[in-house]
Amino acid sequence: MLYFVEIDVKIPAEIDPSRLEDMKAREKIASSEYQRSGEWLHLWRIAGKFGNISIFDVSDHDRLHEILWSLPLFPFMTIRVLPLARHPAAIDRPPA
């Protein structure tokens, strides 16, 4: 199943800087692993924000939930999820 996921991250000002750097490093490792697995298809930065727009291809809602909850920065995220369905007017294109 395909999902459009918009993530906005709001870090509390009082967080310990070394803890934040550790969380960011673990976040990068986690997102890289999910991308390599093929579950996190696209990851796009939102210009001017600490957030992203992503496309996930996972087996079901529960798997997406597991992935999002596993992210180290999850406690600081506001997440919007939209399930995607193929549009009948979409033209099939070969992968880039």
Side-chain angles (χ1 to χ4, degrees):
M1 297 181 72
L2 290 175
Y3 297 89
F4 169 97
V5 178
E6 184 177 359
I7 298 174
D8 189 26
V9 183
K10 297 242 189 310
I11 304 295
E14 65 275 1
I15 194 168
D16 179 307
S18 63
R19 178 176 174 230
L20 178 58
E21 289 309 310
D22 175 65
M23 291 174 81
K24 285 180 178 179
R26 290 185 295 117
E27 184 88 12
K28 185 173 184 177
I29 291 167
S31 68
S32 295
E33 289 173 359
Y34 291 126
Q35 288 175 73
R36 283 189 197 94
S37 79
E39 291 179 298
W40 199 325
L41 292 182
H42 298 280
L43 174 58
W44 296 93
R45 166 75 60 213
I46 300 172
K49 291 180 76 174
F50 187 9
N52 68 73
I53 291 175
S54 297
I55 302 294
F56 286 84
D57 186 3
V58 294
S59 57
D60 55 31
H61 305 319
D62 292 328
R63 180 60 184 148
L64 180 63
H65 182 79
E66 287 174 13
I67 291 171
L68 296 174
W69 272 70
S70 76
L71 298 174
L73 291 172
F74 178 81
F76 310 122
M77 293 178 179
T78 300
I79 301 172
R80 181 171 68 119
V81 176
L82 299 171
L84 300 176
R86 180 120 180 98
H87 194 286
I91 298 172
D92 285 332
R93 297 183 188 271

